[in-house]
Amino acid sequence: MVEEIGRTADGDIIINVGPQHPATHGVLHLVITINGETIKKVEPHLGYIHRSIEKMCESLTYRQFIYVTSRMDYLSSHINNHACALCVEKALQIEVSSRAQVVRILLDELTRIASHELWWGAMAMDLGAFTPFFHAFRERETINDIMEETCGARLTMNYIVPGGIMQDIHPNFQKRIKDFIKLYKSKISEYDELVTGNIIFQNRMKGVGYLSAEDAISFGVTGPAARGSNISCDVRKIYPYEIYDQLEFVEVLETGCDSFARYMVRIREMNQSIRIIEQLVDNIPEGDFQTKTKAVLKLPKGEFYQRVETARGEFGVYIVSEGGTTPYRIKFRSPGFSNLSALDHMARGSKLGDLVAIMGTLDLVIPDIDR
Amino acid sequence: MLSFSNISKSIDTWLNATFNSTWTMLFEMVIAGVGVISLFAILGLVLVLMERRVAAWIQIRLGPNRVGPGGMLQSLADTVKLLVKEGMTPDGADKFLFNLAPFIAIIVAMLLMAPIAFAKNFQLWDMNIGVLYVTAISSIMVISILMAGWASNNKYSLMGAMRSGAQIVSYELSAGLSILAIVVLSGSLNLNDIIQSQADGWWIFKGHIPVIIAFIIFIIAVTAETNRAPFDLAEAESELTAGFHTEYSGMKFALFFLAEYINVFIVCAIGATLFLGGWMPFHIGNWESFNHIMDYIPSSMWFFSKTFFLIFLIMWFRWTFPRLRIDQLLNLEWKYLLPISMFNLLLVTAMAILGWHF
Amino acid sequence: MQEFKKEVSFVEKNKIAIKKKNMFIVNYIKDVFNGVKSLVVGLRRTMYYFSHHKEIITEQYPDNRDTLVLPDRFKGEVILVHDENNEHACTGCTACELACPNATIKIITKFDISPEGKKKKAIDKFVYHLELCTMCNLCIVACPTDAIKMAQTFEHSVYNRAELTKVLNKQGSKIREGVE
Ligand code: SF4
Ligand code: SF4
């Protein structure tokens, strides 16, 4: 039988979703096979925004390569930078002052909230509700203003450096954060009114994109996507870094295994982040913001790995050093890539409209997948 | 008093005095045609601006505010932009159908204008089956969408068209049933008679709960029929990029766009006529002085304010709710709306027979 | 295919569950009522914003240009600080050039002859490629004499890419006395 163009042998239609499509939030290219409205197969094609960041890092020094990581998962650039700094510090056994540690965690959690806010808006927009997007940006902008004031940039900060943070915090830092917490607490109930409680939204999310715990593990899904399947995988809890082990917060777990569970995980995670911030914001210890390090960092020969929990899941930095000033090889384990791999499995058998919802709950950031 | 009916009457007498009856007829047709087309243009401009404002305020934004005073001329600028754009026809498209579809959409919208009473004694065509006519013509709309989707030779367009077909065919049922409720109560298919039957109170007040239910179902059904969010599956921005008009550009796209807004206007006008008394002023029982004051407000004012209230309602829905999925959409119709409206029609009929309404 | 079946069966199960729930007319009515209620809650929220214009957060950017204040740490572009005597603090040590990850900075040095006849290294041109700069702040941190800093400008668009390559030291400027 001669295959018609754009059709499989069974007569199913093949559609290109992307690389320019409103729902893929970037240049992701999905080749989907559908029968009517039912999805039979989803095949992600990558490479549209590949910048060979890992190779680029091999020619950068240990101070320089951190800035590149902000360009991967640009929504949690602080956390990426943090991972790299931690890895270098671990290799060189640099002690970071407690002030720097607290500020780093504060910024991490703010980043996480900002990322989840954006995700919430984009998620609702994927499902056809445009208003939440703008409402989410109101809170997110406040965080961005804090970042801008202290770190000098709104998205790609490069504020965390090996040994601490680049500059001391801005005098307004604490006050601004407290203002933000107040704003957040006054607005978070609106999220439920607008989206979470909405019957249409719940029907669109519940029972859609089923991902069992075993499948989540075998696909390497991490972060909120896996916690929606009741897998405890929060790096902040199981491999605590910095002072996370001294903080009070719970790892958010949901048992629904569906899109709604993943949605709820993120919503509840924002509240946990607020809880962490509340614990720390008044207790920033005095001291140096940066430990004195050598001008030129030389990592000892060996292999070093550090993982952190970004807004999307587990982010890992793996450095192979030959003892020089630049890494011999760097590998980033980005959460988005593994999460995307489960998309096909989750979307099979559901409707075309569900694909968008499932993609939304995976919270894909394409430069993070493609690097 | 300067009112539409007086103006039309004086034009009619003047024409009759000057020309013979055939020419009068012709001139009147031309005047009506020009009137409808200019109404179209104005409605398009106003409704698009209104939608953008409503959206902006709900989304804590300002909305258009650059072109003209307070952004009033924004939609005019958009129209000019769309007019001067190239209207492309894709290579693989069925050229004839592709170019025909937007015109069918707009012609359907024009035809629907005919029986609507804009003001007291101001109607293009006072036919005795007005309600039937409206329901019949509005279902032609789906043909233009199917045509556009099929002729574009684009899978997204085709899917959008198919969705739209399923959607409009099913939602017509409950829209029709809820319209029937009013027909049963007023005992006429003539829109003018229906309006007259509401002289002592609008049906939504006179008809107790069943009419309110019918009204709610009507609003939901027409939202779906006009492909507006949360039922905008035919366009489904995030799923099908732009659905059935993915391949359209320039003026042909503008025609679809215009038809959508005109359709919204028309269904809201029908809703206002059936449930809210059309141009009938708001009267309360025997409060003579109050009723008198209400009569001072021109009837066209009443009609347009009611219609725009309903339009606002539909816009409000659009900017609040997420979109349904196709199977849920059909579930909602066949499992919820249709049974409810059938049962409701039964109630209304019983009510009409027993004379339980005011 | 196996996996596919599993998914389908999940969907099927869900449908059965929904069906079971809808078996009783009371539940049916309750469903409708709760659904409508949730929609009304959402509508109320959007109506609040529709009618409360003081909540609008839009900044009218090009109009508020005069009053727009960017935080003093905002990283807009690298500038070489000149004082009123047209003097700067750059010794030409190229530490910034080395610190920069993308070769944004190029220091071209020359040798000044001081009145005593001593040769002294100084910058001839501080070339800065704005189009390559990622605003990472590493050069600022690296500079031993704090000669460069970040300016708070952000409207960088030009018609010609060549305009983005800038020479930061002003015409006839020289190094401030006493900076080593
Ligand atoms: S800010 Fe970064 S990229 Fe720009 S010149 Fe300085 S070191 Fe280079
Ligand atoms: S700017 Fe600073 S680091 Fe760069 S060459 Fe001049 S003195 Fe050295």
Side-chain angles (χ1 to χ4, degrees):
Chain A
M1 199 170 116
V2 185
E3 257 186 49
E4 232 181 294
I5 296 172
R7 272 178 184 273
T8 62
D10 309 336
D12 299 334
I13 300 178
I14 299 171
I15 294 191
N16 289 306
V17 178
Q20 275 121 23
H21 189 279
T24 53
H25 302 298
V27 283
L28 179 65
H29 180 195
L30 301 175
V31 180
I32 60 173
T33 310
I34 53 170
N35 182 357
E37 286 263 348
T38 313
I39 293 171
K40 288 230 172 139
K41 199 167 102 188
V42 181
E43 227 179 295
H45 286 198
L46 302 180
Y48 289 91
I49 190 161
H50 188 74
R51 294 145 297 169
S52 56
I53 282 184
E54 285 168 13
K55 193 77 197 161
M56 241 161 84
C57 290
E58 288 170 20
S59 61
L60 297 175
T61 67
Y62 292 110
R63 278 189 200 286
Q64 289 172 345
F65 89 96
I66 292 176
Y67 95 96
V68 197
T69 56
S70 328
R71 269 96 185 150
M72 290 165 41
D73 182 354
Y74 48 79
L75 291 180
S76 43
S77 54
H78 252 312
I79 313 182
N80 290 358
N81 294 350
H82 195 171
C84 301
L86 278 175
C87 194
V88 173
E89 281 155 13
K90 196 174 177 182
L92 291 173
Q93 280 147 12
I94 299 171
E95 276 290 320
V96 180
S97 73
S98 54
R99 182 182 180 82
Q101 288 193 9
V102 169
V103 174
R104 280 174 174 190
I105 288 183
L106 274 173
L107 290 170
D108 274 10
E109 295 308 320
L110 282 176
T111 311
R112 197 182 314 278
I113 294 173
S115 169
H116 284 351
E117 300 267 14
L118 180 68
W119 157 83
W120 180 75
M123 172 88 240
M125 196 152 85
D126 282 348
L127 295 183
F130 289 84
T131 306
F133 190 72
F134 293 89
H135 289 208
F137 258 74
R138 170 187 49 202
E139 279 84 72
R140 191 179 135 78
E141 280 301 292
T142 325
I143 298 181
N144 277 356
D145 287 343
I146 299 173
M147 300 285 185
E148 194 178 16
E149 205 174 48
T150 294
C151 319
R154 300 171 78 84
L155 210 57
T156 52
M157 289 77 162
N158 193 33
Y159 183 66
I160 296 176
V161 293
I165 46 180
M166 199 176 258
Q167 290 153 304
D168 205 354
I169 53 170
H170 196 275
N172 282 347
F173 186 62
Q174 278 149 302
K175 189 183 149 288
R176 288 271 204 146
I177 290 183
K178 277 181 215 155
D179 288 348
F180 166 72
I181 294 176
K182 225 181 274 157
L183 175 78
Y184 174 87
K185 288 200 165 155
S186 68
K187 299 292 183 196
I188 190 69
S189 64
E190 292 180 10
Y191 287 32
D192 294 347
E193 288 177 17
L194 263 179
V195 175
T196 317
N198 191 303
I199 179 90
I200 303 175
F201 178 78
Q202 293 204 350
N203 280 339
R204 286 286 312 261
M205 300 294 267
K206 279 184 181 161
V208 165
Y210 184 75
L211 182 72
S212 67
E214 301 90 66
D215 290 333
I217 290 173
S218 58
F219 278 111
V221 176
T222 51
R227 291 199 280 282
S229 302
N230 203 15
I231 300 169
S232 165
C233 61
D234 194 330
V235 181
R236 293 175 295 173
K237 277 281 183 209
I238 46 181
Y239 300 104
Y241 50 98
E242 304 283 33
I243 53 165
Y244 271 117
D245 46 355
Q246 298 158 30
L247 296 174
E248 248 178 67
F249 68 102
V250 290
E251 179 179 5
V252 181
L253 289 175
E254 287 274 339
T255 49
C257 302
D258 57 1
S259 292
F260 193 68
R262 294 189 281 276
Y263 171 87
M264 281 318 286
V265 167
R266 288 205 177 82
I267 292 283
R268 287 172 55 199
E269 232 177 59
M270 283 202 274
N271 293 334
Q272 293 302 324
S273 292
I274 285 284
R275 203 169 143 197
I276 296 176
I277 293 172
E278 274 179 332
Q279 286 169 43
L280 291 179
V281 66
D282 280 324
N283 303 323
I284 302 180
E286 293 299 320
D288 286 340
F289 59 88
Q290 200 177 349
T291 314
K292 278 267 169 291
T293 47
K294 288 207 202 82
V296 178
L297 298 178
K298 265 190 193 165
L299 254 61
K301 201 166 158 40
E303 297 171 8
F304 309 97
Y305 185 70
Q306 174 66 42
R307 51 176 124 197
V308 296
E309 180 77 17
T310 74
R312 258 148 226 88
E314 178 184 328
F315 177 79
V317 186
Y318 173 65
I319 301 180
V320 183
S321 169
E322 293 278 272
T325 55
T326 58
Y328 173 73
R329 172 85 172 91
I330 275 195
K331 163 87 182 120
F332 296 115
R333 187 251 183 237
S334 70
F337 187 81
S338 320
N339 290 3
L340 177 69
S341 65
L343 178 63
D344 176 42
H345 177 76
M346 289 153 79
R348 277 185 192 208
S350 48
K351 297 273 179 291
L352 183 62
D354 290 337
L355 176 70
V356 181
I358 296 167
M359 236 160 27
T361 53
L362 284 179
D363 194 9
L364 303 174
V365 168
I366 313 304
D368 176 43
I369 298 168
D370 242 352
R371 299 200 287 289
Chain B
M1 203 169 65
L2 197 70
S3 74
F4 280 117
S5 56
N6 290 351
I7 296 171
S8 62
K9 214 168 276 163
S10 59
I11 292 176
D12 186 49
T13 18
W14 182 76
L15 283 171
N16 266 323
T18 332
F19 305 102
N20 62 23
S21 60
T22 327
W23 281 106
T24 308
M25 191 70 180
L26 260 177
F27 275 127
E28 280 177 353
M29 275 182 174
V30 170
I31 290 174
V34 171
V36 166
I37 290 178
S38 44
L39 183 69
F40 259 47
I42 294 168
L43 272 182
L45 298 184
V46 170
L47 287 179
V48 172
L49 188 72
M50 176 176 164
E51 169 116 80
R52 293 180 66 169
R53 271 262 183 267
V54 171
W57 283 343
I58 283 178
Q59 296 171 347
I60 44 179
R61 294 186 287 122
L62 286 168
N65 63 350
R66 297 280 139 173
V67 192
M72 300 282 249
L73 301 179
Q74 180 65 51
S75 37
L76 199 66
D78 289 347
T79 318
V80 171
K81 182 202 81 176
L82 284 169
L83 274 173
V84 298
K85 259 188 163 179
E86 186 189 356
M88 278 208 296
T89 309
D91 233 7
D94 185 332
K95 301 232 164 37
F96 176 66
L97 291 183
F98 185 83
N99 291 319
L100 185 64
F103 292 100
I104 289 192
I106 207 83
I107 285 169
V108 168
M110 277 191 183
L111 284 176
L112 279 171
M113 280 281 185
I116 291 174
F118 291 98
K120 200 172 182 176
N121 300 329
F122 188 76
Q123 206 172 1
L124 287 176
W125 186 11
D126 184 12
M127 71 185 100
N128 56 0
I129 49 158
V131 174
L132 189 62
Y133 174 84
V134 168
T135 36
I137 296 289
S138 65
S139 38
I140 301 180
M141 188 65 200
V142 69
I143 293 183
S144 81
I145 292 179
L146 278 176
M147 210 181 247
W150 172 257
S152 297
N153 196 14
N154 176 322
K155 288 166 190 165
Y156 285 127
S157 303
L158 184 63
M159 288 187 68
M162 286 313 176
R163 283 176 172 194
S164 165
Q167 177 182 338
I168 291 181
V169 167
S170 33
Y171 274 83
E172 223 148 53
L173 288 172
S174 40
L177 283 176
S178 50
I179 289 177
L180 264 189
I182 296 300
V183 173
V184 166
L185 281 175
S186 61
S188 169
L189 286 170
N190 186 327
L191 283 174
N192 240 337
D193 286 354
I194 291 177
I195 296 172
Q196 288 302 341
S197 72
Q198 305 180 60
D200 52 343
W202 307 342
W203 278 123
I204 193 147
F205 299 129
K206 284 204 297 183
H208 305 297
I209 290 168
V211 173
I212 293 175
I213 293 176
F215 178 67
I216 292 170
I217 290 176
F218 178 80
I219 290 291
I220 296 174
V222 296
T223 314
E225 254 194 274
T226 46
N227 283 327
R228 300 270 305 176
F231 307 102
D232 60 340
L233 283 126
E235 292 173 37
E237 215 239 27
S238 55
E239 293 158 32
L240 303 178
T241 57
F244 66 92
H245 56 58
T246 306
E247 297 286 352
Y248 282 90
S249 59
M251 204 52 216
K252 279 178 253 166
F253 166 74
L255 285 183
F256 271 123
F257 201 61
L258 186 63
E260 180 189 328
Y261 281 99
I262 301 295
N263 276 329
V264 170
F265 175 80
I266 287 167
V267 294
C268 289
I270 299 286
T273 308
L274 294 177
F275 296 93
L276 305 178
W279 47 261
M280 233 358 130
F282 181 65
H283 283 172
I284 298 178
N286 39 18
W287 295 17
E288 287 305 330
S289 51
F290 178 80
N291 292 353
H292 210 65
I293 296 169
M294 287 290 141
D295 285 338
Y296 264 109
I297 301 172
S299 55
S300 54
M301 217 38 189
W302 278 108
F303 172 77
F304 278 105
S305 50
K306 284 170 196 173
T307 309
F308 272 86
F309 167 72
L310 290 185
I311 293 175
F312 170 73
L313 217 60
I314 285 185
M315 287 181 179
W316 187 15
F317 290 162
R318 171 165 182 187
W319 298 109
T320 308
F321 299 140
R323 183 184 307 121
L324 277 81
R325 204 170 55 210
I326 183 74
D327 53 329
Q328 292 166 349
L329 180 90
L330 298 179
N331 267 353
L332 174 69
E333 164 63 18
W334 294 101
K335 285 193 188 160
Y336 292 82
L337 294 188
L338 193 61
I340 291 176
S341 51
M342 276 177 163
F343 184 67
N344 197 42
L345 184 62
L346 213 67
L347 272 183
V348 171
T349 319
M351 227 170 72
I353 292 171
L354 298 173
W356 276 353
H357 57 90
F358 298 115
Chain C
M1 211 51 223
Q2 199 57 41
E3 279 167 85
F4 184 41
K5 270 213 191 95
K6 214 163 76 194
E7 292 309 319
V8 170
S9 72
F10 173 74
V11 174
E12 247 11 282
K13 242 188 266 161
N14 212 48
K15 269 187 201 147
I16 291 163
I18 290 168
K19 232 183 252 163
K20 257 190 205 144
K21 223 172 66 193
N22 289 346
M23 286 241 272
F24 301 100
I25 197 82
V26 180
N27 281 342
Y28 178 88
I29 292 169
K30 224 184 244 166
D31 272 6
V32 173
F33 181 74
N34 285 339
V36 171
K37 198 174 135 202
S38 77
L39 298 180
V40 171
V41 166
L43 284 174
R44 210 179 54 203
R45 181 47 59 195
T46 43
M47 182 39 102
Y48 171 81
Y49 283 110
F50 180 75
S51 50
H52 287 69
H53 295 179
K54 66 172 197 313
E55 300 265 356
I56 288 175
I57 46 164
T58 313
E59 268 183 46
Q60 303 244 38
Y61 159 57
D63 296 345
N64 70 356
R65 233 197 211 132
D66 301 332
T67 54
L68 194 67
V69 192
L70 285 163
D72 50 356
R73 283 187 190 176
F74 179 76
K75 296 184 271 195
E77 71 177 311
V78 176
I79 52 164
L80 188 62
V81 188
H82 288 75
D83 61 8
E84 62 278 7
N85 304 329
N86 203 11
E87 287 174 338
H88 56 73
C90 176
T91 57
C93 68
T94 69
C96 53
E97 188 179 336
L98 290 172
C100 180
N102 345 288
T104 308
I105 297 174
K106 181 89 192 95
I107 310 270
I108 300 171
T109 50
K110 61 178 180 192
F111 285 97
D112 273 350
I113 315 284
S114 62
E116 296 98 67
K118 267 211 294 197
K119 272 218 276 188
K120 198 173 165 234
K121 199 165 135 195
I123 53 167
D124 183 14
K125 273 183 185 158
F126 190 115
V127 184
Y128 170 61
H129 295 271
L130 181 55
E131 76 270 30
L132 298 179
C133 182
T134 53
M135 316 298 167
C136 66
N137 219 21
L138 288 174
C139 52
I140 316 283
V141 174
C143 178
T145 58
D146 288 338
I148 43 178
K149 67 166 195 161
M150 281 288 182
Q152 276 71 52
T153 50
F154 61 95
E155 290 161 330
H156 291 315
S157 43
V158 288
Y159 284 103
N160 183 356
R161 191 175 169 174
E163 288 170 44
L164 290 172
T165 303
K166 299 178 179 179
V167 177
L168 293 188
N169 52 332
K170 288 191 192 141
Q171 197 69 40
S173 65
K174 45 181 210 303
I175 183 164
R176 199 173 301 138
E177 279 306 311
V179 177
E180 285 305 326

